[in-house]
Each structure stands twice: as C-alpha cells, then as structure tokens.
Amino acid sequence: MIPTQREISDEIASLDGAAGAQPRLDYPPYRSSALRHPRHPAVVLDPEGVELASPVFGPRDVGELDADLTIQHRGEPLGERMIVTGRVLDGRGRAVAGQLVEVWQANAAGRYIHQRDQHPAPLDPNFTGTGRCLTGPDGSYRFVTVKPGPYPWRNHRNAWRPAHIHFSLFGTAFAQRLVTQMYFPGDPLFPLDPILQSVTDPAARARLIAAYDHDVTQEEWCTGYRWDIVLSGPAPTVFEGTGR
Amino acid sequence: MSGPEGTPGQTVGPFFGYALPYPGGDTLVPPGRDGAIRLAGRVVDGAGAGVPDALVEVWQAGPTGAVVREPGSLRRDGWSFTGWGRAATDPTGAYSFTTLRPAPAVAGGPAWFAVAVVARGLLDRLLTRVYLPDDPDALAGDRLLSSLPDGRRSTLIARPGPDGYRFDVVLQGDRETVFLQHRPGHPG
Ligand SMILES: [Fe+3]
C-alpha cells in the first residue's frame, strides 16, 4: 500500500523535535532511506593526512560563465529570474575561499532535464539547471538562475517536494564536505516534506531556508535571495537515534 | 561551540546524474600510465542490492604520501595528478577509479584513500577510509583500525585484485562499512 500524505505526516510528527542538527539517516517517512542508512553509529576519530585538507579547484576547473544558469542556451529560460548568493563559512566563522560550489535544480515548471524525471511538466529548451562557481576571497558565491518549481515524487501518494536548489560544497578539510538543498522562504510544502523534516531540530531546519533580500534584487531585472552556508563538519550527535 | 551553527546535509536525490558526474571524473590518471591501478567495487544496500544512484568520491595522497595541491580535477589535462576523483555508480551499483597507489601519510603507517559517498535515500553524505592491504604490520599499528572490533575492521580494508583493489561500500547490514565522523577542532 502506498502511504497517504496523512500517514507520512503522522510519522513526521512522531519524530519531530528529536535532537540532531543533521538529518536522521534512519528516517522512515523518507521511504528510500530504509535500506540505505547505516545501523552502526559513525566512528569518531581525529582526522589525519589528506583528511586535514581538501582538493584544490581553480579557474582551470570553473569558467566565469558557469555560475549563470540563464545563458547556457540560445534563449532565456522561462520563470522568475533570480540571484542566489551568500557566503560559505567554516565552523569557526571563517570564509572558505576559492572552493568549489556546484548547484543543480529543476526548471520553473518543476522538471529536471534528467531522463529519470518523468514528471509531465514541460522541459525548457533554454534551461539545463546546472551551475558551478568558486567562492571569492570572502567566501562568497553567486548564481543567476530561475526559481525552480515544486515537483511530485513517489515517496507516498500526492507527494510534492518544496522548491529547492541542490548544493554540493567543499570546505578546507575533507570532513567539511557538504551535499544539501536550499529552500525558499514561506513554502507551504515544508511540513509535508520528509526530506526537509528529516532534520528534526526546527532551528537546524531553518538554516536550510534562504532569505529574500531586496538588496540583492536588481531593478527591472531579477529578485534576490541570500543563503549563507556553514561547513562545520558533522556535529557529535549526527548518528543519534538511528535505530540503535 | 563558539562559531556559527552548521548547515545540515540533505540527500543528493535521484537527479544529480546530469550535474555532478563529468567526463574524466573517475580517471585520476590515464589507465595506461606507469603505476596506474584500479580501485573498484560496488555500493550495496541493506538487502545486498547494488545502489545504482550513488556517487563515490576519492581524495588521496600521491605516490610520495604528500597532500596534492593541484587544481584541474574537473578538467583534467592528462598529466597532472590532482588526488581527487568522482565516480557515479552504474546500474549494478558498481564504481571504478583509475588512479595511483597512495603512499602512507606517515612513514611506517598504512596507506589509505579518503572516501565520501552520497546516494538517493541517504540523507547525508558518509565518509570512510579505504585501506590498502599490502602492509599487515602497518595495518596492525593503525589507530583507527586497532580501535575497531574484529568483525568491523576488515570492512575498511580493500582486497587485492588483478588490476588493483576491490572495495565495496556496504550501507547497511552484516558487513556494513565503518563510517567516520571527524572530531572537530583540528587546525583545518
Ligand atoms: Fe530535487
């Protein structure tokens, strides 16, 4: 039986507020996690060797134009044009400079160009939905894109993901590697989404949501969102409550 | 904790395949190059099935044991060894890298790869190490390995293969890979 949203929402409610600034890896409302979460807690160790460093990326890896998702084709993509910008910091609040930030997202209609995405919303011939940049000396990143639409998925009946942009980041050390998703403020799908709600601490969840910033918005051109990212490495409680 | 609070991770989801993998990602050195080895295996779930929508990343020292500080991983020039690579799993959950054997970071210690794994269904990235099996004394003296119970230690040690090494990432189950969490506060 495919669960209903109500059943999933009840499961979400029963797990909400549990400690943990990171997502619970064992999170039954996200059905795909069932066979893909480790049952053992992570083993804590002091990093050594390459773990104390990160790979180096440079202008050879990432071009200036790779951060503009609206100029990759002949025409302009449809949708709400916007700038997404912010700073990448480490756990001590220091700028992570010159590091790789990768993004990917659905188009304005909520459709990925990925061939496994069978959502019957239109593809946009002027939008691929991938971008890359290197952070500046102050840790800043900046992408020009269009706002992604929400999209259905098959976790349960009538399941919809809130609009989001996927982010992949490197820090100054291997343990700071972060793969996450950025959300838009005020999305009514937040409480229904088991992926966002897998972060059961509401304060931590809020750190995944960008802020509308009128100082980033550009006159007669686009809206602006700001989202700062903190690469702390895992918190000590990361595996707490994973079914042990 | 004095610094800002960390941004939580989230699953890589199902649709990274057109965004994160790139040509040459799994080829840290060309296969024919002197000293080229293969590091290959599968990402496996709790039912023993291959995970076809996972991404494996390696980060390693080169043949001198020193940390490589060389850009160009995303657009390889065919000569420079950058120490970092990325491979998506195939429909059977298999991944494969062509690379150089890492030397130990510390003389007399064991050699290992640092590895990160993401997948659909996996809500945060996982980190681990892949130890080379060649030097039993070095493995026996390793701090991490000797801290692990017998049944778990071997999950971190690659098996020799004809062309290099085999290593399976087992996300869940009897042979579940040991995953790691680095203690904060190091000088990085
Ligand atoms: Fe998505």
Side-chain angles (χ1 to χ4, degrees):
Chain A
M1 267 296 277
I2 302 168
T4 61
Q5 178 69 56
R6 179 171 298 276
E7 288 167 316
I8 293 293
S9 292
D10 286 347
E11 292 180 28
I12 288 172
S14 73
L15 294 163
D16 193 37
Q22 291 292 333
R24 292 172 59 120
L25 300 183
D26 177 11
Y27 193 67
Y30 177 32
R31 292 295 193 251
S32 307
S33 73
L35 291 170
R36 295 184 173 192
H37 69 272
R39 294 193 195 281
H40 290 274
V43 171
V44 178
L45 82 167
D46 290 316
E48 302 174 279
V50 290
E51 290 167 342
L52 296 167
S54 264
V56 173
F57 299 94
R60 193 172 117 199
D61 294 291
V62 182
E64 286 283 327
L65 303 180
D66 294 353
D68 190 338
L69 286 71
T70 68
I71 57 168
Q72 297 172 348
H73 300 274
R74 295 177 78 93
E76 289 260 355
L78 295 172
E80 175 186 339
R81 189 189 297 112
M82 58 178 205
I83 291 168
V84 176
T85 188
R87 293 179 72 207
V88 183
L89 306 171
D90 72 10
R92 297 179 189 177
R94 297 174 300 195
V96 175
Q99 258 303 358
L100 178 66
V101 181
E102 297 166 281
V103 295
W104 67 105
Q105 63 168 89
N107 69 22
R111 178 86 186 262
Y112 285 90
I113 217 162
H114 195 287
Q115 60 185 14
R116 274 194 52 187
D117 185 1
Q118 296 301 317
H119 173 36
L123 287 169
D124 184 338
N126 292 316
F127 193 71
T128 301
T130 62
R132 284 177 180 150
C133 75
L134 297 177
T135 54
D138 60 348
S140 61
Y141 73 88
R142 183 178 181 273
F143 292 100
V144 181
T145 185
V146 296
K147 189 175 182 191
Y151 60 84
W153 59 312
R154 299 203 171 129
N155 186 68
H156 53 278
R157 222 180 300 154
N158 205 12
W160 287 78
R161 293 297 327 281
H164 59 274
I165 299 177
H166 294 267
F167 273 73
S168 163
L169 302 117
F170 292 80
T172 52
F174 182 65
Q176 293 172 23
R177 183 85 177 87
L178 179 68
V179 174
T180 188
Q181 304 181 24
M182 184 205 91
Y183 300 87
F184 294 88
D187 195 317
L189 293 167
F190 286 158
L192 308 180
D193 179 42
I195 291 179
L196 175 61
Q197 299 297 329
S198 70
V199 181
T200 55
D201 170 6
R205 214 154 51 217
R207 295 197 285 274
L208 293 173
I209 302 166
Y212 172 75
D213 187 339
H214 203 63
D215 292 331
V216 177
T217 292
Q218 294 190 0
E219 185 173 6
E220 302 296 319
W221 180 245
C222 69
T223 55
Y225 289 85
R226 184 172 291 280
W227 188 50
D228 292 336
I229 301 160
V230 179
L231 308 178
S232 60
T237 51
V238 63
F239 282 92
E240 194 174 276
T242 52
R244 306 260 314 155
Chain B
M1 252 328 258
S2 55
E5 300 282 353
T7 305
Q10 292 269 269
T11 181
V12 73
F15 299 135
F16 59 83
Y18 75 104
L20 295 181
Y22 60 92
D26 58 2
T27 311
L28 285 78
V29 298
R33 178 153 151 190
D34 230 20
I37 59 155
R38 197 165 171 240
L39 173 66
R42 294 171 77 217
V43 180
V44 176
D45 73 11
V51 176
D53 37 18
L55 195 72
V56 180
E57 293 178 348
V58 289
W59 170 228
Q60 62 167 105
T64 69
V67 174
V68 184
R69 308 301 297 158
E70 188 77 45
S73 295
L74 295 178
R75 300 213 171 103
R76 299 199 195 276
D77 63 10
W79 293 97
S80 311
F81 178 71
T82 66
W84 182 79
R86 174 184 280 170
T89 54
D90 75 6
T92 70
Y95 74 90
S96 174
F97 292 98
T98 311
T99 187
L100 298 173
R101 184 181 276 100
V106 186
W112 44 267
F113 299 89
V115 167
V117 181
V118 292
R120 181 181 67 84
L122 182 57
L123 278 156
D124 197 9
R125 53 92 183 111
L126 298 174
L127 305 178
T128 188
R129 288 181 183 178
V130 176
Y131 285 84
L132 301 190
D134 312 301
D135 185 345
D137 290 341
L139 292 174
D142 182 74
R143 205 165 6 146
L144 169 62
L145 291 179
S146 41
S147 75
L148 298 172
D150 283 342
R152 303 211 72 208
R153 190 178 306 130
S154 61
T155 71
L156 294 184
I157 302 172
R159 288 166 288 142
D163 47 7
Y165 301 97
R166 302 275 313 170
F167 183 86
D168 291 340
V169 177
V170 181
L171 296 179
Q172 184 186 87
D174 290 342
R175 293 277 302 153
E176 185 174 302
T177 302
V178 170
F179 298 105
L180 304 175
Q181 179 190 314
H182 298 202
R183 219 171 254 127
H186 61 77

